[in-house]
Amino acid sequence: MTAANKVAIVTGSSRGIGAAIAQRLAKDGFSVVVNFAGSAGAADELVQRIEQAGGRAIAAQADVSDAAAVARMFDAVEAAYGGIDVLVNNAGIMKLATLADSDDALFDSQIAINLKGPFNTLREASRRLRSGGRIINLSSSVVGMYQPGYAVYAATKAGVEAMTHVLAKELRGRDITVNDVAPGPTATALFLDGKPQDVVDRLAKLAPLERLGQPEDIAAVVAMLAGPDGAWINGQTLRANGGII
Ligand code: NDP
């Protein structure tokens, strides 16, 4: 599979890891859909940067937790580009608290965006992706590490991994792979916001490579799975975390 004329939707790609994935896939030749929920300005700027670098991209607003909005986005992408080859389920939020201190809003918001969101997009993708397609879901290395405070967030990501394994089998005969990429601590707002510098420094040292992941580290793994070198990897979770687990 070469990227010429291939179309990739990257959910939640106005900022952070998703923005790096969108830029990398555009550099690799994909036409990229920069999905966002609220950050229209950042999404438009990213589309401009991609186009200035010679790539193709459009911005598409859709809250992934809204099934109708997701279906409309897939319709719009098919109308704009003629089909869809790659879905990267990257949109996500993280709210940390012990189970004892977790309120219903913490639970409901993470389930809606991190679990129902990928359900909505996977359903559309499984009906529409062209032969040769690729689906890449962003999980997290907290599935495995299971630190205190991460119960609900980790549960959403474990759920995503479960859907990955099942969908890979359900798409038998379609020549479509479904995999997870599970980052460790990565330098984005999701990880950094609200953490004192000493906590960030401690977490950065946990991996034997003794640094935080950068969005580009994760984008490289996603690009491998989306491109020709990833063709034989299917139904797997690739942890990209500097060796933290
Ligand atoms: P950021 O908070 O930096 O960016 C999140 C992105 O998701 C934004 O573009 C945001 O767009 C979008 N988004 C949020 N809610 C929605 C929604 N309802 N619908 C559509 N888009 C939405 O997060 P990261 O880049 O750090 O995280 C990306 C993914 O990687 C997530 O799934 C996260 O769980 C996972 N991950 C991150 C790790 C880390 O350490 N950073 C570690 C392991 C996994 P907008 O601004 O428009 O709302």
Side-chain angles (χ1 to χ4, degrees):
M1 168 166 141
T2 66
N5 304 318
K6 299 277 182 186
V7 177
I9 297 176
V10 185
T11 69
S13 52
S14 50
R15 303 183 280 115
I17 292 170
I21 293 169
Q23 274 185 296
R24 174 59 194 265
L25 293 183
K27 187 164 158 258
D28 290 354
F30 290 89
S31 298
V32 174
V33 179
V34 177
N35 161 253
F36 64 97
S39 301
D44 287 341
E45 278 172 32
L46 180 59
V47 166
Q48 277 174 25
R49 277 207 302 281
I50 288 171
E51 287 176 343
Q52 280 161 9
R56 287 181 303 278
I58 54 173
Q61 196 282 335
D63 178 343
V64 293
S65 69
D66 178 342
V70 166
R72 280 196 300 274
M73 175 172 71
F74 275 71
D75 287 343
V77 174
E78 286 180 329
Y81 285 134
I84 303 162
D85 303 285
V86 174
L87 168 67
V88 182
N89 268 320
N90 167 83
I93 59 170
M94 183 173 76
K95 294 183 190 300
L96 304 182
T98 62
L99 261 175
D101 290 334
S102 294
D103 59 19
D104 288 358
L106 177 149
F107 180 87
D108 291 342
S109 61
Q110 291 184 100
I111 294 289
I113 295 173
N114 295 1
L115 189 58
K116 176 94 189 307
F119 166 74
N120 288 334
T121 55
L122 290 172
R123 183 168 54 184
E124 296 299 331
S126 63
R127 293 171 180 166
R128 305 191 199 216
L129 245 59
R130 294 189 282 217
S131 177
R134 307 285 170 80
I135 297 174
I136 298 130
N137 296 322
L138 271 285
S139 178
S140 169
S141 294
V142 300
V143 180
M145 294 175 75
Y146 292 127
Q147 312 99 302
Y150 288 79
V152 176
Y153 177 74
T156 65
K157 295 301 190 181
V160 165
E161 291 192 12
M163 289 196 288
T164 296
H165 295 301
V166 172
L167 187 58
K169 292 171 183 161
E170 290 180 354
L171 295 181
R172 171 180 290 275
R174 297 266 304 276
D175 192 20
I176 296 172
T177 65
V178 191
N179 293 291
D180 300 302
V181 172
T186 307
T188 69
L190 177 141
F191 171 75
L192 294 169
D193 281 2
K195 287 194 179 74
Q197 192 58 44
D198 60 313
V199 174
V200 171
D201 292 343
R202 185 173 53 76
L203 292 171
K205 291 280 184 197
L206 280 183
L209 295 185
E210 295 194 319
R211 67 171 175 83
L212 292 178
Q214 295 300 318
E216 292 74 20
D217 293 319
I218 309 306
V221 182
V222 171
M224 185 272 289
L225 289 172
D229 291 345
W232 194 231
I233 301 173
N234 191 20
Q236 305 299 315
T237 297
L238 300 191
R239 287 178 175 157
N241 59 29
I244 203 166
I245 182 174

